[in-house]
Amino acid sequence: MASEYWNQKFRNVHPEEKRPLTPQERRANWWHYHKWHVLAGVVLLALAADLGWSILRSRQNLPDYQVAYVGDYSLPEDTAAALEEALAALGEDVNGDGQVIVHLVSYPLLEESGSEEDAMYAAASSTRLMADLEVGESAFFLLEDPEGFQEGHQILRRLDGSLPEAGESDGWDCVLRWGDCPVLAGLALGEYAYSVAGETVSGESQALLEDLYLARRGYWRGTEEIPAAAYDAFWDALTEGAVS
């Protein structure tokens, strides 16, 4: 009985026939369901292209020597750029790419600062420094506090070329003061200038560097990939005539 009722009730009801979509409607429908996938793919493709280009550029401009500055604050850009150019004139083409490049990287630790922002910046800088030391990117160092640096990392090579065991060096037997190295003290580095709180700070780049200490990294492992002879020659060029 119930079946007959429903048959009569829907006797004139017919399923709506689907109208074929036009090409424009099909495209709109496809875009509606896939647009986020397409956009995500475009973003990923752009990121991959940017990464690939960055890697290509970095391979074309690999430094022959990397020098790490570790101090309270970053060196001015003018000083850093002049220093890279001047040091490059003392080196050789280690990687055979037809040019001599010295890369100076700064690790400002901001140890005297008490602000939360500076503390976070210092923590990030310290993390970058630890990664550098682990991988062995920097072969040479400019230090404000050699004793503290060596105590914390035990990474420096003695001036006599020996490699101290952990705790055997206090840092002072591994460094030369910039001002005591005639070659370094005689570099023409010009002046620097930068703005702080609307005021311009300027001065002689040599004056910023004269009380820093030059050191070189010791390699206890993985020396087969280190151009040791080239690094030794660069060290000798930098420290020629130095008073220890």
Side-chain angles (χ1 to χ4, degrees):
M1 186 68 178
S3 177
E4 183 63 25
Y5 169 77
W6 290 112
N7 288 336
Q8 291 296 322
K9 182 174 179 63
F10 295 108
R11 66 182 182 277
N12 294 321
V13 177
H14 302 284
E16 181 180 356
E17 295 184 4
K18 293 185 177 180
R19 177 179 61 83
L21 299 177
T22 66
Q24 183 177 2
E25 289 173 331
R26 286 199 299 270
R27 289 194 298 269
N29 185 63
W30 185 92
W31 178 252
H32 175 75
Y33 289 104
H34 296 88
K35 60 182 176 182
W36 296 115
H37 298 84
V38 173
L39 292 175
V42 170
V43 171
L44 290 176
L45 183 61
L47 291 175
D50 182 67
L51 178 61
W53 177 243
S54 297
I55 292 175
L56 178 61
R57 285 189 305 172
S58 66
R59 287 179 177 176
Q60 291 175 336
N61 296 284
L62 289 174
D64 297 283
Y65 311 94
Q66 180 159 303
V67 181
Y69 161 76
V70 183
D72 282 346
Y73 297 94
S74 295
L75 293 175
E77 293 183 3
D78 296 337
T79 302
L83 184 55
E84 287 178 337
E85 183 177 354
L87 293 182
L90 299 172
E92 60 183 274
D93 181 12
V94 178
N95 55 29
D97 63 357
Q99 54 187 338
V100 180
I101 297 177
V102 174
H103 179 51
L104 177 69
V105 57
S106 291
Y107 297 113
L109 302 182
L110 306 171
E111 294 181 353
E112 301 300 326
S113 176
S115 72
E116 182 177 352
E117 181 180 357
D118 282 350
M120 294 176 61
Y121 186 75
S125 183
S126 179
T127 300
R128 290 171 47 236
L129 172 60
M130 292 300 295
D132 182 331
L133 298 181
E134 178 63 27
V135 177
E137 292 181 336
S138 297
F140 304 91
F141 298 91
L142 285 176
L143 307 170
E144 282 189 359
D145 178 16
E147 186 174 19
F149 183 85
Q150 183 70 340
E151 181 182 356
H153 306 294
Q154 293 295 318
I155 203 75
L156 300 180
R157 180 178 173 182
R158 287 194 179 104
L159 294 177
D160 63 8
S162 63
L163 299 175
E165 296 297 327
E168 285 187 352
S169 170
D170 61 4
W172 294 110
D173 57 347
C174 301
V175 298
L176 289 169
R177 180 176 167 273
W178 177 283
D180 293 333
C181 299
V183 173
L184 298 180
L187 294 177
L189 302 178
E191 299 181 346
Y192 65 88
Y194 60 91
S195 296
V196 177
E199 296 185 2
T200 299
V201 179
S202 61
E204 294 286 339
S205 291
Q206 276 286 355
L208 289 180
L209 303 172
E210 63 182 2
D211 289 326
L212 295 181
Y213 295 87
L214 178 69
R216 55 179 166 171
R217 179 192 173 98
Y219 292 95
W220 283 261
R221 55 186 173 82
T223 55
E224 65 278 358
E225 299 180 0
I226 305 301
Y231 285 175
D232 287 346
F234 189 56
W235 173 264
D236 291 341
L238 299 180
T239 61
E240 183 179 0
V243 179
S244 59

